[in-house]
Amino acid sequence: MRYRILGGTGIEVSTYCLGTMMFGSVGNPDHQDAVRIIHSALDRGVNFVDTADMYSAGESEEIVGKALRDPRRRDETVLASKVYFPVGEDGPARGGLSRRWITRAVEASLARLGTDRIDLYQVHRPDHRTDVEETLDVLGDLVSQGKIRAFGCSTFPAERIVEAHAVAERRGLRRFRTEQPPYSLLARGVETAVLPVAQRYGMGVLTWAPLASGYLSGAYRKGRGVDLTRGRAAITPHRFDPALPENVAKLDAVEELALLAEEIGCTLPELAVAFVAAHPAVTSVILGPRTGEQLDGLLKGASLVLSDEVLDRIDAIVPPGTDLYRADGVWRPPSLTEPTLRRRPLEERAAAGS
């Protein structure tokens, strides 16, 4: 396993990061099996584990804590978690990136993880309600207190990353060291601005959803039909319904990519992960297996090298910067979600007065 420096922190992390979103009630509820999967990844050179307080409402952090109970394993593992979403009952004082919530959430995460520090603490989504200065200020305090070693952001648009760095410089605050965006063969939009901005600021990048919710695992193929009553397809059928034009485009691209993978002697998932790891901005690719078999399949492709010719052919199938697939849960700014921010009062909309 190759290791890379994480965002100028001096911390060496494996090119593959073990994501644990599928451990717990939403994926694999067997704690012992999930612990075995974590240990298997660690024993095979993966030293980077990513979780979040909201994964299975804290259950994922508890599983990770069990896996890292041995002090030796904990010391050898770079542990990442995230904060933003409310955990437990919803309420006006729960969630977000305020000093009050982050201070409360980090203590809960430390308790579930059974550790005294988190190596990388990430804000899970932007929070338009909280000034980024407050967020950076409290995260810097947590570094000074030794509760976290470094901090980063997740799924931030490029302009939010730039704003955060400008505020940090202007106010003399610690800055985001990493960004965690969705990135895959079908979701290349981050190549336009997010990845170049991360490079500009020397940020580490750990990417998620390399298999595009199963499109690049081989679970969805053209002509096979999709059961829209189960799994992800039941929750968001518009993303998987093969009758919709946008999904036809995904399936067409998948067929071409699968043929390319077969031609070069690898599986489609191996091609998908190797593609993400080949970008110079990417530090680590988050793998999110639910089973040990899935982990084994992904790790088999760790030595796969994609030539310039193969990458050129991928560019011809899905051009750089193109998003055929939009990952679930990607943050959308209020300017898109709040109609009132795009519409003048009715009496002011005409160019001329009546």
Side-chain angles (χ1 to χ4, degrees):
M1 185 64 62
R2 184 167 285 147
Y3 299 87
R4 299 168 176 173
I5 300 298
L6 184 64
T9 63
I11 301 172
E12 285 189 304
V13 296
S14 48
T15 304
Y16 287 170
C17 173
L18 181 66
T20 63
M21 187 178 74
M22 298 307 295
F23 297 160
S25 59
V26 302
N28 185 347
D30 187 331
H31 285 211
Q32 290 185 341
D33 186 46
V35 167
R36 283 194 293 269
I37 294 169
I38 295 171
H39 286 171
S40 176
L42 296 176
D43 292 341
R44 293 154 80 178
V46 175
N47 78 334
F48 199 9
V49 176
D50 178 75
T51 186
D53 56 5
M54 59 85 67
Y55 293 166
S56 294
E59 192 179 358
S60 173
E61 286 188 324
E62 292 173 0
I63 292 170
V64 172
K66 292 177 182 178
L68 301 182
R69 187 169 294 164
D70 182 334
R72 180 185 61 82
R73 281 202 184 273
R74 175 64 191 93
D75 288 343
E76 294 175 353
T77 302
V78 179
L79 176 59
S81 192
K82 296 182 281 293
V83 59
Y84 171 80
F85 293 101
V87 178
E89 297 181 5
D90 293 338
R94 303 179 69 84
L97 301 179
S98 67
R99 173 176 286 275
R100 181 184 185 279
W101 180 249
I102 290 176
T103 301
R104 179 176 174 177
V106 73
E107 295 295 344
S109 285
L110 288 169
R112 286 189 291 265
L113 290 163
T115 187
D116 61 353
R117 80 279 184 192
I118 296 170
D119 298 300
L120 176 64
Y121 198 45
Q122 301 154 99
V123 295
H124 213 152
R125 295 291 186 272
D127 180 5
H128 68 275
R129 303 166 302 173
T130 304
D131 194 309
V132 69
E133 181 176 348
E134 170 157 338
T135 301
L136 295 173
D137 194 35
V138 63
L139 291 171
D141 287 347
L142 293 178
V143 173
S144 297
Q145 294 163 15
K147 295 179 180 179
I148 66 176
R149 298 284 174 81
F151 58 86
C153 51
S154 175
T155 321
F156 269 45
E159 65 270 17
R160 284 277 181 146
I161 297 173
V162 172
E163 177 192 8
H165 280 275
V167 169
E169 182 176 3
R170 186 167 65 247
R171 299 297 187 185
L173 301 172
R174 288 186 171 92
R175 60 190 181 89
F176 289 134
R177 288 291 187 176
T178 62
E179 160 60 13
Q180 186 180 138
Y183 184 37
S184 73
L185 285 163
L186 300 182
R188 301 185 61 176
V190 294
E191 293 173 341
T192 301
V194 171
L195 296 184
V197 164
Q199 288 178 292
R200 167 66 181 82
Y201 287 108
M203 300 172 72
V205 173
L206 47 159
T207 64
W208 56 279
L211 301 184
S213 296
Y215 272 100
L216 297 169
S217 72
Y220 307 102
R221 296 292 294 272
K222 193 170 184 179
R224 292 185 184 176
V226 177
D227 185 351
L228 298 176
T229 66
R230 300 178 57 188
R232 285 190 176 102
I235 299 171
T236 54
H238 63 284
R239 296 181 181 275
F240 301 94
D241 186 346
L244 298 178
E246 58 268 30
N247 295 330
V248 172
K250 298 173 195 173
L251 294 170
D252 286 343
V254 167
E255 290 305 308
E256 293 188 67
L257 293 166
L259 287 173
L260 176 59
E262 183 179 359
E263 184 179 326
I264 66 174
C266 70
T267 66
L268 180 58
E270 290 171 353
L271 177 71
V273 175
F275 167 78
V276 176
H279 195 289
V282 173
T283 310
S284 191
V285 182
I286 298 175
L287 310 179
R290 182 177 53 84
T291 67
E293 183 180 10
Q294 290 174 350
L295 175 66
D296 292 343
L298 291 168
L299 291 181
K300 284 179 182 177
S303 60
L304 177 62
V305 176
L306 302 183
S307 68
D308 287 342
E309 179 188 358
V310 169
L311 293 173
D312 288 342
R313 292 177 64 182
I314 289 172
D315 288 348
I317 297 169
V318 183
T322 300
D323 274 333
L324 294 180
Y325 165 84
R326 184 177 176 86
D328 293 336
V330 172
W331 181 80
R332 302 186 73 204
S335 58
L336 299 182
T337 59
E338 297 292 336
T340 56
L341 298 180
R342 304 190 303 275
R343 301 171 184 174
R344 290 180 180 273
L346 191 63
E347 63 275 10
E348 297 179 9
R349 292 178 190 173
S354 57

